[in-house]
């Protein structure tokens, strides 16, 4: 096909872009956005967004808080901007969900969006 295109006047510039198969790049790490809807208060929607550079945002019902984070095994440490003490929780994450185990032992399931 390449030679045929050149015969039509196209110039071979080498590879200038590629198409990826998204199935090969399904996020399984914490990088990405996750949404939680409180089952008792449907209007209470919380969204965590974790950036690859260790920063992120937490949107709780429209109020956005900036943070930095680190992970170590299954421990997630989040330092919210303006706070003095980090939030340290146990977590698991897969392609579809982030599960945070809060201080009471309850599991909060945030779905990947």
């Amino acid at each position: 096909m390449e030679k045929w295109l050149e015969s039509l006047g196209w110039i071979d510039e080498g590879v200038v872009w590629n198409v990826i198969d998204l199935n090969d790049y399904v996020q399984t790490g914490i990088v990405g956005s996750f949404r939680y809807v409180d089952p008792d208060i449907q209007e209470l929607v919380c969204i965590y967004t974790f950036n690859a550079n260790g920063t992120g945002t937490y949107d709780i019902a429209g109020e956005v808080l900036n943070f930095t984070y680190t992970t170590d095994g299954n421990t997630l440490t989040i330092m919210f901007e303006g706070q003095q003490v980090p939030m340290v929780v146990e977590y698991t994450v897969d392609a579809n969900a982030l599960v945070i185990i809060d201080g009471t032992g309850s599991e909060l399931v945030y779905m990947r969006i």
Side-chain angles (χ1 to χ4, degrees):
M1 176 142 167
E2 182 178 311
K3 296 295 179 195
W4 177 74
L5 290 173
E6 288 176 3
S7 74
L8 296 175
W10 286 58
I11 299 171
D12 183 2
E13 298 175 349
V15 177
V16 293
W17 54 271
N18 285 306
V19 176
I20 62 170
D21 182 349
L22 290 179
N23 292 323
D24 293 338
Y25 293 91
V26 172
Q27 293 179 344
T28 56
I30 199 163
V31 173
S33 294
F34 301 87
R35 180 176 183 218
Y36 173 80
V37 178
D38 188 304
D40 298 323
I41 309 168
Q42 294 291 311
E43 299 81 31
L44 183 57
V45 176
C46 307
I47 300 174
Y48 271 110
T49 299
F50 297 91
N51 302 315
N53 66 357
T55 65
T57 57
Y58 182 59
D59 181 332
I60 180 165
E63 182 179 341
V64 179
L65 307 170
N66 295 313
F67 63 81
T68 58
Y69 74 95
T70 58
T71 59
D72 183 15
N74 64 341
T75 300
L76 170 63
T77 302
I78 297 176
M79 178 61 80
F80 288 98
E81 192 173 83
Q83 298 293 315
Q84 299 298 317
V85 178
M87 179 180 81
V88 180
V89 295
E90 299 298 312
Y91 82 104
T92 60
V93 66
D94 64 26
N96 299 314
L98 165 68
V99 179
I100 293 177
I101 302 167
D102 69 14
T104 67
S106 297
E107 291 186 352
L108 301 174
V109 180
Y110 290 77
M111 298 307 295
R112 191 178 292 275
I113 54 176

